[in-house]
Amino acid sequence: MIKKLLIIGFGSTMIGIGINGFILPLNIINGGFLGISLLLNYIFGFKTGITFIFLNIPVYMFAFKSDPGYFFNGVIGAICTGLMIELLVPLNGMFHLPILSSVIIGAMIIGSGVGVMLRHHISPGGMDLLALIIAKWSKVNVGVIMFAMDAVIIITGLYLLQYVKLFYSLIIVAIVGLLASLITSFRKEQIFID
């Protein structure tokens, strides 16, 4: 249990750093419920982390019925991720990089956090949990499923906000999905010492 909590702490901290330090200051979005939370922040001023937690409730109700193991790990992962996003808000505006550099660095930080959590069957949020459940049923890599769902959210955000900079969000989704795929695909090797 301590190992899971450390993984959740690491992953949610990485997501909080990536969002607040590199993505939120640019007014671009990520995918999943995080992307929806960011959209609601930009449009209505809702707190990103708190909105993220509330958006996850319906998916966790579904997960509880379909796979209780994912439910318990996911609830803790989503709450910690939402709280870390709120706790790390002071990072907003701290880094001043060109937009492409900020997008790439932020996506790599977020992707590392998401990938580590998913590798240990811990969901950092509802869409990721949904992707984990679909991957389990369909045998399609979780990163591929996440990318498809995230692309739909970003295209919707582009339509609603009509903000050309949102095309950078596709880079974020691609990098996060790629890192999540890579991290979850590595085989766990057993090392034996004689």
Side-chain angles (χ1 to χ4, degrees), residues 36-101:
I36 296 169
S37 300
L38 287 167
L39 270 174
L40 293 172
N41 174 279
Y42 301 146
I43 295 171
F44 302 111
F46 294 170
K47 289 186 175 275
T48 306
I50 303 301
T51 304
F52 176 75
I53 292 170
F54 281 109
L55 286 174
N56 279 291
I57 292 171
V59 175
Y60 286 111
M61 302 293 274
F62 170 73
F64 183 71
K65 289 185 175 191
S66 65
D67 195 327
Y70 283 149
F71 168 79
F72 291 112
N73 289 334
V75 165
I76 296 169
I79 290 171
C80 286
T81 300
L83 292 175
M84 287 309 293
I85 290 169
E86 289 304 318
L87 287 173
L88 294 172
V89 164
L91 293 177
N92 190 338
M94 184 175 284
F95 307 106
H96 302 284
L97 300 170
I99 188 168
L100 189 57
S101 299

Side-chain angles (χ1 to χ4, degrees), residues 9-24:
F10 171 79
S12 59
T13 300
M14 295 296 279
I15 294 167
I17 291 169
I19 291 295
N20 287 299
F22 300 94
I23 306 305
L24 196 59

